[in-house]
Amino acid sequence: PFHENHLDEWMGVQVKSASRQFGNAYTFSGTFGYSGLSVLLVALDESLLWVIPGHVIDVSTIAVRSGNRWDAYRSSWNDLAVLLDESWSSSGRYLRKPLETWDTPRARQHQVGLLGQRFGMDFFRRIGLSVATPFVENGPYDMIIDGKIFVQNKTTGALKSTSGGYSVKLCRASGREVRRPYD
Protein backbone atom coordinates (compact mmCIF):
# COMPACT_ATOMS: atom_id res chain seq x y z
CA PRO A 1 0.00 0.00 0.00
CA PHE A 2 1.05 3.57 -0.50
CA HIS A 3 0.19 4.62 3.05
CA GLU A 4 0.61 2.85 6.40
CA ASN A 5 -2.96 3.54 7.57
CA HIS A 6 -4.31 1.27 4.79
CA LEU A 7 -2.89 -2.07 5.90
CA ASP A 8 -4.55 -4.36 3.35
CA GLU A 9 -5.91 -1.92 0.83
CA TRP A 10 -4.30 -1.98 -2.60
CA MET A 11 -4.91 -0.16 -5.85
CA GLY A 12 -4.94 -2.20 -9.05
CA VAL A 13 -2.45 -1.47 -11.81
CA GLN A 14 -2.60 -3.34 -15.13
CA VAL A 15 0.64 -3.41 -17.15
CA LYS A 16 0.61 -4.08 -20.91
CA SER A 17 3.78 -4.21 -22.96
CA ALA A 18 4.81 -4.10 -26.60
CA SER A 19 8.24 -5.34 -27.62
CA ARG A 20 8.56 -2.94 -30.53
CA GLN A 21 6.72 -0.66 -32.91
CA PHE A 22 4.85 -2.14 -35.87
CA GLY A 23 4.47 0.38 -38.65
CA ASN A 24 4.22 3.68 -36.85
CA ALA A 25 2.42 2.44 -33.74
CA TYR A 26 2.90 0.50 -30.53
CA THR A 27 -0.05 -1.87 -30.25
CA PHE A 28 -1.42 -3.15 -26.93
CA SER A 29 -4.23 -5.72 -26.91
CA GLY A 30 -6.68 -6.71 -24.20
CA THR A 31 -6.98 -3.15 -22.92
CA PHE A 32 -10.74 -2.92 -22.31
CA GLY A 33 -12.35 -3.67 -18.95
CA TYR A 34 -9.94 -1.98 -16.55
CA SER A 35 -12.19 0.75 -15.21
CA GLY A 36 -11.09 1.51 -11.66
CA LEU A 37 -7.45 0.66 -12.37
CA SER A 38 -4.45 2.53 -13.72
CA VAL A 39 -3.25 1.02 -16.98
CA LEU A 40 0.45 1.26 -17.78
CA LEU A 41 1.49 0.75 -21.39
CA VAL A 42 5.19 0.05 -21.82
CA ALA A 43 7.18 0.12 -25.07
CA LEU A 44 10.06 -2.18 -24.23
CA ASP A 45 12.39 -1.26 -27.10
CA GLU A 46 12.53 2.45 -26.23
CA SER A 47 11.47 2.24 -22.56
CA LEU A 48 8.47 4.50 -23.19
CA LEU A 49 5.57 4.72 -20.75
CA TRP A 50 1.93 5.76 -20.98
CA VAL A 51 -0.22 5.93 -17.84
CA ILE A 52 -3.93 5.81 -18.67
CA PRO A 53 -6.90 5.81 -16.27
CA GLY A 54 -8.77 2.59 -17.01
CA HIS A 55 -12.15 4.33 -17.18
CA VAL A 56 -11.16 6.30 -20.30
CA ILE A 57 -10.26 3.19 -22.31
CA ASP A 58 -13.17 2.28 -24.56
CA VAL A 59 -11.38 -0.06 -26.99
CA SER A 60 -9.95 -3.58 -26.72
CA THR A 61 -6.75 -2.66 -28.59
CA ILE A 62 -4.80 0.56 -28.22
CA ALA A 63 -2.46 1.67 -31.00
CA VAL A 64 -0.28 4.51 -29.72
CA ARG A 65 0.98 6.75 -32.50
CA SER A 66 2.88 9.99 -32.13
CA GLY A 67 0.37 12.74 -31.37
CA ASN A 68 -2.78 10.59 -31.25
CA ARG A 69 -5.34 10.46 -28.45
CA TRP A 70 -3.38 7.84 -26.49
CA ASP A 71 0.00 9.52 -26.89
CA ALA A 72 -1.36 12.36 -24.71
CA TYR A 73 -0.91 9.96 -21.76
CA ARG A 74 2.84 9.55 -22.33
CA SER A 75 4.67 9.87 -19.04
CA SER A 76 8.18 9.95 -17.74
CA TRP A 77 9.35 6.99 -15.68
CA ASN A 78 10.57 9.57 -13.15
CA ASP A 79 6.95 10.73 -12.67
CA LEU A 80 5.44 7.26 -12.20
CA ALA A 81 5.45 7.29 -8.39
CA VAL A 82 3.77 10.71 -8.36
CA LEU A 83 1.14 9.60 -10.90
CA LEU A 84 0.33 6.46 -8.91
CA ASP A 85 0.14 8.47 -5.68
CA GLU A 86 -2.30 10.87 -7.39
CA SER A 87 -4.38 7.87 -8.47
CA TRP A 88 -4.34 6.58 -4.90
CA SER A 89 -5.58 9.97 -3.70
CA SER A 90 -8.53 9.78 -6.13
CA SER A 91 -10.15 7.10 -3.98
CA GLY A 92 -13.56 7.34 -5.63
CA ARG A 93 -12.17 6.68 -9.09
CA TYR A 94 -9.74 3.81 -8.43
CA LEU A 95 -10.62 0.50 -6.81
CA ARG A 96 -9.01 -0.46 -3.52
CA LYS A 97 -9.10 -4.12 -2.56
CA PRO A 98 -7.25 -6.55 -0.30
CA LEU A 99 -4.11 -8.09 -1.80
CA GLU A 100 -5.68 -11.56 -1.95
CA THR A 101 -8.46 -10.21 -4.19
CA TRP A 102 -5.97 -8.71 -6.65
CA ASP A 103 -3.93 -11.93 -6.53
CA THR A 104 -6.88 -14.08 -7.62
CA PRO A 105 -7.32 -14.33 -11.41
CA ARG A 106 -10.76 -13.49 -12.80
CA ALA A 107 -10.84 -16.02 -15.65
CA ARG A 108 -11.71 -19.61 -14.67
CA GLN A 109 -8.89 -21.14 -16.71
CA HIS A 110 -6.37 -18.84 -14.98
CA GLN A 111 -7.83 -19.78 -11.59
CA VAL A 112 -7.35 -23.47 -12.46
CA GLY A 113 -3.78 -22.71 -13.59
CA LEU A 114 -2.97 -20.89 -10.35
CA LEU A 115 -4.42 -23.73 -8.30
CA GLY A 116 -2.29 -26.20 -10.27
CA GLN A 117 0.82 -24.13 -9.70
CA ARG A 118 0.15 -23.88 -5.97
CA PHE A 119 -0.42 -27.64 -5.80
CA GLY A 120 2.84 -28.30 -7.66
CA MET A 121 4.83 -25.92 -5.49
CA ASP A 122 3.39 -27.48 -2.33
CA PHE A 123 4.28 -30.98 -3.63
CA PHE A 124 7.91 -30.06 -4.33
CA ARG A 125 8.29 -28.31 -0.97
CA ARG A 126 6.82 -31.32 0.89
CA ILE A 127 9.49 -33.58 -0.57
CA GLY A 128 12.20 -31.19 0.61
CA LEU A 129 13.00 -29.17 -2.51
CA SER A 130 13.25 -25.39 -2.64
CA VAL A 131 10.81 -23.67 -4.98
CA ALA A 132 10.92 -20.17 -6.41
CA THR A 133 8.82 -18.35 -8.98
CA PRO A 134 10.31 -16.20 -11.74
CA PHE A 135 10.05 -12.43 -11.47
CA VAL A 136 8.27 -12.20 -14.84
CA GLU A 137 4.98 -14.04 -15.37
CA ASN A 138 3.93 -15.84 -18.56
CA GLY A 139 7.47 -16.75 -19.54
CA PRO A 140 8.79 -20.14 -20.61
CA TYR A 141 8.74 -21.49 -17.04
CA ASP A 142 6.54 -21.04 -13.98
CA MET A 143 8.76 -22.25 -11.15
CA ILE A 144 12.39 -23.00 -10.39
CA ILE A 145 13.23 -26.10 -8.37
CA ASP A 146 16.43 -26.04 -6.30
CA GLY A 147 17.67 -23.07 -8.33
CA LYS A 148 18.38 -25.16 -11.43
CA ILE A 149 15.31 -27.06 -12.66
CA PHE A 150 12.90 -24.91 -14.66
CA VAL A 151 9.29 -26.12 -14.67
CA GLN A 152 6.42 -25.11 -16.97
CA ASN A 153 3.02 -25.83 -15.38
CA LYS A 154 0.21 -27.29 -17.43
CA THR A 155 -3.13 -27.63 -15.69
CA THR A 156 -6.62 -28.60 -16.78
CA GLY A 157 -9.80 -28.91 -14.82
CA ALA A 158 -12.12 -30.29 -17.46
CA LEU A 159 -12.62 -33.95 -18.19
CA LYS A 160 -13.02 -34.62 -21.92
CA SER A 161 -16.36 -36.42 -22.10
CA THR A 162 -15.63 -37.99 -25.49
CA SER A 163 -12.45 -39.76 -24.42
CA GLY A 164 -12.94 -39.96 -20.67
CA GLY A 165 -9.51 -38.36 -20.15
CA TYR A 166 -7.89 -35.01 -19.70
CA SER A 167 -6.28 -32.92 -22.42
CA VAL A 168 -3.41 -30.48 -21.96
CA LYS A 169 -1.77 -28.56 -24.83
CA LEU A 170 2.02 -28.71 -24.63
CA CYS A 171 2.73 -25.44 -26.42
CA ARG A 172 2.56 -21.73 -25.72
CA ALA A 173 -0.37 -19.56 -26.70
CA SER A 174 0.31 -16.03 -27.83
CA GLY A 175 -1.85 -13.33 -29.30
CA ARG A 176 -5.04 -14.71 -30.79
CA GLU A 177 -4.52 -18.36 -29.87
CA VAL A 178 -1.42 -18.70 -32.05
CA ARG A 179 0.36 -21.76 -30.68
CA ARG A 180 4.09 -22.36 -30.82
CA PRO A 181 6.35 -24.92 -29.16
CA TYR A 182 8.50 -24.02 -26.17
CA ASP A 183 12.11 -23.16 -26.96
Side-chain angles (χ1 to χ4, degrees):
F2 280 94
H3 304 287
E4 288 181 29
N5 59 339
H6 302 286
L7 296 179
D8 192 22
E9 195 171 63
W10 300 77
M11 182 181 78
V13 176
Q14 177 65 38
V15 180
K16 300 284 183 178
S17 64
S19 58
R20 62 185 177 94
Q21 227 177 24
F22 289 96
N24 64 347
Y26 288 102
T27 304
F28 305 90
S29 60
T31 56
F32 187 71
Y34 293 109
S35 185
L37 281 72
S38 285
V39 178
L40 278 57
L41 306 179
V42 180
L44 298 173
D45 64 344
E46 294 189 46
S47 195
L48 299 175
L49 172 69
W50 295 267
V51 180
I52 305 175
H55 70 275
V56 304
I57 300 174
D58 55 1
V59 295
S60 60
T61 300
I62 293 178
V64 180
R65 291 178 182 82
S66 182
N68 78 353
R69 144 187 190 192
W70 304 112
D71 197 36
Y73 294 96
R74 187 182 299 198
S75 304
S76 164
W77 286 98
N78 294 331
D79 296 334
L80 182 57
V82 171
L83 292 169
L84 291 175
D85 198 41
E86 287 173 359
S87 298
W88 179 261
S89 298
S90 303
S91 61
R93 179 150 299 196
Y94 294 94
L95 300 174
R96 295 182 182 186
K97 297 182 179 183
L99 181 60
E100 184 177 347
T101 303
W102 289 118
D103 252 359
T104 304
R106 293 187 302 179
R108 173 145 167 61
Q109 100 184 41
H110 293 155
Q111 291 172 359
V112 169
L114 180 61
L115 184 63
Q117 180 174 8
R118 288 179 178 164
F119 177 79
M121 292 174 78
D122 185 52
F123 170 79
F124 289 121
R125 286 184 178 126
R126 284 177 188 244
I127 62 172
L129 301 172
S130 69
V131 181
T133 54
F135 181 70
V136 177
E137 292 181 0
N138 301 318
Y141 53 91
D142 297 310
M143 66 177 91
I144 307 163
I145 310 296
D146 280 348
K148 57 188 171 202
I149 302 169
F150 299 89
V151 177
Q152 172 59 236
N153 299 318
K154 292 295 179 188
T155 310
T156 187
L159 182 65
K160 293 280 187 181
S161 60
T162 55
S163 67
Y166 294 93
S167 175
V168 177
K169 293 181 174 136
L170 299 177
C171 53
R172 295 179 73 175
S174 62
R176 298 217 179 255
E177 291 302 313
V178 174
R179 301 221 174 256
R180 63 188 197 282
Y182 286 95
D183 300 334

